[in-house]
Amino acid sequence: MLVTSIALATLLTTVASVGPTPPLPTADGRAEFVVTAPRYRITRTSRSASQIVARANQVISVLGGGVQPDQAKLTAWASAAVADPTDMVWVRPVVGDNFIAVGYRRRDDEVLLLNTYYLDLMPDTFPLAPSEDVGVAAARLVMEDAVADLIAAGIVRTGMPYGSAQASYMREKHTSGTQTREWVTEYIFTMNFVQNGITFPDIGLKIGVHRKGVVSSIHATDATLTNMGSVATTLTVAQAKARLTTNLASTFPAGVYKDIDARQGALMRPALNVETVDPGGIFNYTLAFPGGHSRQRISRVSLVTGVVEHLYL
């Protein structure tokens, strides 16, 4: 999944309720509703070197403008990524342009493109002129066009809820003498794949749009989903949230949790290549401690067993 601090801050889209099955008779003849939900096997794709090269070319093509990557550089880079699956391996592959950087981590099927020309660009004026910062609404339109291009290129599957993507900001601050200036570098839009109302954070997309209105970063992860059949659930997402808060109060008595975002979803344990996951509630929240220290966390609670797991700390 997208495990940067910004990505961890966002789990997206509308959650559809798990509908009850038709009533089943009990032993004494009464009817009761049995609520079921699907269990999924999530598998990370271990791409070959040639597949990694193809994926990099697809991502670079979204930049447009006739950008021409050096295929020999990409081939050597992809081989290095296969040999070192746990690290993000980087290359600057574009002929005559040292600003485009592409990274790939094979373990997570994670690709990252950066346009460092824009990411390092200082503003020309203070306060920012309208031409210096297009604003979040215009940036969202640029993001939506980029997602459509990514889908057409085969990088992103349909089902990414870009219409409701959560916006965040990357800001920079510069101090000279007694004067401090701060500005937005990127508007960042984060989304996760949704299927039948279930959110899958292991399949994620983050688009960065520079304040000048151009795509400055693309960050995508992917996985294969297999529906393993439905199982009976014992908790709703709301009940799972209550179980989580009880667990947090006993596990972190000095901590204060806030801004709990709840979704029905399926999330793999970190660093696993494959896992069969119960229907669950996924909870993204901030855990604050005395002294001002805080952490962004993601926990999951099985809707079948009620087990609470803190996955991303």
Side-chain angles (χ1 to χ4, degrees):
M1 72 173 291
L2 301 182
V3 295
T4 63
S5 59
I6 294 173
L8 289 180
T10 313
L11 289 172
L12 300 178
T13 206
T14 304
V15 180
S17 62
V18 179
T21 61
L24 300 178
T26 59
D28 60 3
R30 291 181 296 107
E32 65 178 12
F33 284 93
V34 177
V35 179
T36 65
R39 176 182 280 138
Y40 282 92
R41 184 173 66 223
I42 306 173
T43 307
R44 297 197 188 279
T45 303
S46 296
R47 297 180 191 267
S48 66
S50 61
Q51 290 172 327
I52 295 170
V53 169
R55 191 158 176 79
N57 278 314
Q58 290 171 325
V59 173
I60 294 169
S61 71
V62 175
L63 295 176
V67 174
Q68 296 295 323
D70 184 325
Q71 298 303 312
K73 276 189 175 182
L74 285 179
T75 298
W77 161 77
S79 296
V82 169
D84 189 0
T86 61
D87 285 340
M88 179 69 76
V89 181
W90 289 94
V91 65
R92 293 182 182 266
V94 178
V95 177
D97 185 343
N98 200 40
F99 294 111
I100 304 301
V102 180
Y104 186 79
R105 191 191 323 268
R106 188 168 183 253
R107 181 194 66 195
D108 300 329
D109 195 16
E110 177 183 10
V111 63
L112 176 60
L113 179 145
L114 303 176
N115 188 333
T116 61
Y117 171 80
Y118 286 103
L119 293 175
D120 295 339
L121 187 63
M122 295 280 287
D124 294 327
T125 61
F126 291 97
L128 298 184
S131 60
E132 285 283 304
D133 191 339
V134 299
V136 66
R140 184 176 289 275
L141 295 177
V142 174
M143 175 273 296
E144 291 178 355
D145 286 343
V147 173
D149 290 341
L150 289 167
I151 291 173
I155 301 162
V156 174
R157 64 184 78 192
T158 57
M160 284 292 180
Y162 59 85
S164 59
Q166 180 70 36
S168 57
Y169 310 89
M170 184 170 76
R171 297 181 180 272
E172 291 189 49
K173 183 183 293 186
H174 177 74
T175 301
S176 178
T178 60
Q179 189 175 34
T180 298
R181 294 167 173 170
E182 185 174 356
W183 59 89
V184 172
T185 298
E186 270 190 318
Y187 296 97
I188 299 171
F189 301 91
T190 306
M191 62 213 82
N192 297 116
F193 179 65
V194 178
Q195 181 173 277
N196 298 326
I198 299 172
T199 298
F200 296 91
D202 293 290
I203 305 173
L205 177 65
K206 183 170 68 176
I207 302 288
V209 177
H210 189 262
R211 63 177 180 273
K212 284 185 173 289
V214 298
V215 174
S216 45
S217 64
I218 300 171
H219 191 180
T221 57
D222 200 12
T224 300
L225 304 176
T226 305
N227 189 326
M228 305 301 290
S230 293
V231 292
T233 61
T234 61
L235 299 175
T236 65
V237 173
Q239 290 168 332
K241 180 179 177 180
R243 186 161 296 199
L244 170 68
T245 57
T246 299
N247 177 278
L248 290 174
S250 61
T251 307
F252 304 100
V256 177
Y257 54 86
K258 57 183 180 179
D259 302 327
I260 296 182
D261 181 79
R263 295 287 183 266
Q264 183 184 331
L267 174 63
M268 192 188 303
R269 292 187 183 93
L272 290 185
N273 290 322
V274 60
E275 184 180 10
T276 298
V277 180
D278 277 347
I282 301 176
F283 305 94
N284 182 21
Y285 55 95
T286 300
L287 187 65
F289 295 91
H293 177 65
S294 64
R295 293 180 180 177
Q296 195 72 30
R297 300 171 59 97
I298 294 180
S299 301
R300 73 180 185 187
V301 180
S302 169
L303 301 184
V304 177
T305 65
V307 172
V308 177
E309 297 176 277
H310 304 300
L311 299 187
Y312 290 89
L313 310 181

